[in-house]
Amino acid sequence: MKALFLFGEICSGKSTYDPGAEYHRYTVSSVVKKIMQTEDRALLQDSKHFTEHIANMICEDIFYYQNYVFVDEQSTPQYFVIDGIRQYEILSTIEDYLTRTYPSLTLEYKWLEVDREERKRRFEARKDVKDTLSFEEAEKRDNELGLSTLFGILKEQNKI
């Protein structure tokens, strides 16, 4: 089994990425929505102070699935896909948990690179009600959360 961490800027295709094998997806934005009880992007991107809580909820969910849902080889997917991490602290906590709890699990990292014009086109075309910010504001908020810092760390560690 593998854990695939998917990263990328807004509208880079994280939510539609298919690793080509059976997988179970964990989406950081879904966890943040549960914690903050909102769909509003402006409010969701104000979640920096919840990093530990977000990471722990994902780890708990992985534990639950590994121990209670994936009971045999046929019910166990080949991948855990974890997408939408924007802060290094969240990644680090999940990595530590996975390597400590499941030492045979392989960790993979993918950064989805899509040019800015295409991402903006996708953002505007989706007309999502949660998009209460402009593309430029949403992009800026992601970087303020730590996405550009995370990219630098992953690149320096040769993970992407």
Side-chain angles (χ1 to χ4, degrees):
M1 185 150 188
K2 299 176 183 180
L4 171 61
F5 293 97
L6 278 180
F7 307 96
E9 294 176 290
I10 191 167
C11 292
S12 60
K14 296 177 299 297
S15 64
T16 58
Y17 183 85
D18 182 349
E22 286 223 21
Y23 64 93
H24 183 77
R25 183 179 299 268
Y26 300 95
T27 305
V28 172
S29 62
S30 296
V31 174
V32 175
K33 286 174 193 172
K34 284 181 193 173
I35 293 169
M36 299 185 76
Q37 299 180 348
T38 184
E39 298 271 329
D40 186 306
R41 182 172 300 282
L43 296 173
L44 293 173
Q45 287 181 313
D46 187 27
S47 62
K48 194 167 190 164
H49 54 292
F50 289 118
T51 56
E52 187 177 335
H53 192 49
I54 293 165
N56 289 335
M57 283 184 74
I58 291 172
C59 292
E60 288 169 12
D61 208 32
I62 290 170
F63 177 83
Y64 172 79
Y65 274 86
Q66 276 292 91
N67 289 289
Y68 302 107
V69 176
F70 306 144
V71 292
D72 57 31
E73 204 171 293
Q74 288 163 323
S75 68
T76 304
Q78 290 179 281
Y79 282 94
F80 283 128
V81 175
I82 304 164
D83 82 54
I85 295 175
R86 297 220 174 343
Q87 294 112 321
Y88 179 72
E89 296 82 4
I90 294 173
L91 174 63
S92 178
T93 300
I94 297 171
E95 285 175 322
D96 289 347
Y97 169 76
L98 291 174
T99 55
R100 197 177 59 253
T101 310
Y102 308 105
S104 64
L105 189 73
T106 303
L107 303 182
E108 294 181 4
Y109 305 82
K110 270 198 194 310
W111 183 276
L112 302 180
E113 191 69 39
V114 176
D115 69 67
R116 188 171 193 278
E117 291 76 29
E118 175 61 16
R119 290 186 301 102
K120 184 174 183 175
R121 186 199 64 74
R122 290 176 183 179
F123 182 89
E124 291 169 352
R126 73 184 183 182
K127 296 181 173 126
D128 195 328
V129 295
K130 72 180 179 189
D131 291 332
T132 56
L133 300 172
S134 69
F135 172 78
E136 291 77 11
E137 291 168 321
E139 185 178 56
K140 181 181 177 194
R141 285 245 179 128
D142 276 354
N143 286 319
E144 288 171 353
L145 269 175
L147 186 61
S148 55
T149 303
L150 177 61
F151 177 78
I153 292 169
L154 291 171
K155 193 171 181 182
E156 185 177 300
Q157 293 176 349
N158 298 309
K159 290 184 176 176
I160 56 167

